[in-house]
Amino acid sequence: MNCLEKLSVFPNPTNERAVVLWQQATAGVSQLRVSDINGQIVWEEQQRSHIGTNAKVLETASWSAGMYMVQITSNGMRQSTKLLKVH
């Protein structure tokens, strides 16, 4: 079983904030990162993840409108999804 599963972000598109949800089959430390279309990191954080559903709220109000890549790395596994920021 993959230890990192079901990455999603909602609402998408977003304006002021978005919620990142992911499933973990094993506990560990997760690295969350958001980068813009040019690959510049606009936000990143490490947090302890537990078995089951994990969540992180992204405060996006100050971000420029555009497409972003949300990436999570945990226990050697990586997943990513797109997030559209609108004004």
Side-chain angles (χ1 to χ4, degrees):
M1 173 184 256
N2 190 347
C3 62
L4 177 61
E5 304 172 342
K6 299 181 184 176
L7 173 64
S8 61
V9 181
F10 67 92
N12 195 1
T14 190
N15 186 5
E16 294 184 6
R17 67 184 49 88
V19 178
V20 180
L21 290 177
W22 70 98
Q23 298 284 327
Q24 291 270 155
T26 58
V29 176
S30 295
Q31 174 75 33
L32 292 94
R33 177 178 290 165
V34 179
S35 55
D36 65 16
I37 195 91
N38 298 314
Q40 295 295 314
I41 297 169
V42 296
W43 178 88
E44 69 180 328
E45 182 176 294
Q46 282 190 348
Q47 77 173 44
R48 300 220 32 83
S49 299
H50 57 273
I51 295 172
T53 302
N54 293 269
K56 179 64 184 178
V57 175
L58 301 176
E59 298 294 339
T60 62
S62 65
W63 297 3
S64 299
M67 186 66 68
Y68 293 86
M69 184 63 66
V70 178
Q71 181 182 79
I72 183 165
T73 305
S74 184
N75 297 321
M77 303 299 294
R78 179 179 298 157
Q79 286 196 11
S80 59
T81 191
K82 294 177 183 175
L83 173 64
L84 179 61
K85 165 64 165 79
V86 295
H87 283 289

